[in-house]
Amino acid sequence: MGCLTPSIVLLCACGVALSAYAIHVEHSKQRDEGYRAHCDMDETIACSHVLTSDYSRGMGLAAVVLGKDHILNIPNSYFGIIIYPLLLILGVASSYSKPLLLLSLFMCAISCLVSVYLLYVLFFVLQKICLVCMGVHVTNLVLFILFILKSRTLLRNDVSTDIRANGLRKKKAQ
């Protein structure tokens, strides 16, 4: 478990950096139509196109379901700015609390489901590749895997602690 928490912290920092860059690209493109992001390679690999599409705000669903002016119709990247620091805190704190670990797993599972939806939109609806988005989706998947490994390690440690405690009680009873 020793390397899991630092890995989680590092990935959360990467998630924040990717989200911040996505926000930068979106705002720059909105200010200047001629802006070309570093991740815009050609017509197909075009981050700025993806990050300014209707799907880049509220997952493309908030405007349709809740209205264009709803508070949840914010850039998807803002969710990353919120989620990754929370996962960073939970990544550290979950070493000491099963409920926080379960919350972390739940948040990561939701992030992965959102990533699957956004990957579908990316490839089949927009038919573009966004390198920043791909980085976020990979980050979500790896974080989920790391939290699963962390939970298995913590549960295994709890079981071995319970076994040792039960063994001590039996010896004292004899």
Side-chain angles (χ1 to χ4, degrees):
M1 184 169 72
C3 70
L4 291 178
T5 300
S7 299
I8 289 169
V9 169
L10 180 65
L11 277 169
C12 288
C14 288
V16 168
L18 287 166
S19 297
Y21 183 68
I23 291 168
H24 167 73
V25 169
E26 180 183 358
H27 288 252
S28 297
K29 187 70 173 178
Q30 287 172 347
R31 277 193 308 272
D32 176 13
E33 264 308 306
Y35 173 77
R36 185 168 168 86
H38 295 295
C39 52
D40 288 343
M41 304 296 170
D42 57 31
E43 196 59 36
T44 303
I45 304 173
C47 295
S48 60
H49 176 83
V50 173
L51 295 171
T52 56
S53 74
D54 290 339
Y55 293 96
S56 71
R57 298 181 71 80
M59 312 303 162
L61 300 171
V64 175
V65 176
L66 303 169
K68 200 166 191 121
D69 296 327
H70 195 275
I71 192 167
L72 292 178
N73 193 34
I74 60 173
N76 298 344
S77 306
Y78 287 18
F79 292 109
I81 293 292
I82 295 166
I83 292 292
Y84 291 118
L86 282 173
L87 285 173
L88 186 145
I89 293 166
L90 290 171
V92 174
S94 65
S95 298
Y96 309 103
S97 169
K98 282 186 207 174
L100 291 180
L101 182 60
L102 291 175
L103 178 60
S104 305
L105 282 168
F106 177 74
M107 288 174 62
C108 286
I110 296 298
S111 294
C112 284
L113 289 174
V114 169
S115 285
V116 168
Y117 164 72
L118 290 175
L119 282 167
Y120 170 81
V121 168
L122 195 64
F123 293 131
F124 299 107
V125 177
L126 298 175
Q127 297 181 339
K128 301 283 182 194
I129 295 172
C130 171
L131 298 176
V132 173
C133 304
M134 298 298 287
V136 167
H137 302 318
V138 168
T139 299
N140 290 342
L141 176 62
V142 176
L143 276 170
F144 187 47
I145 291 167
L146 289 176
F147 274 107
I148 289 171
L149 292 173
K150 187 171 187 171
S151 68
R152 291 182 69 202
T153 303
L154 286 175
L155 291 175
R156 190 172 32 246
N157 288 345
D158 282 354
V159 169
S160 63
T161 302
D162 288 345
I163 291 170
R164 280 193 302 259
N166 285 334
L168 288 174
R169 280 190 219 124
K170 286 179 184 175
K171 284 182 183 179
K172 286 182 181 179
Q174 293 173 351

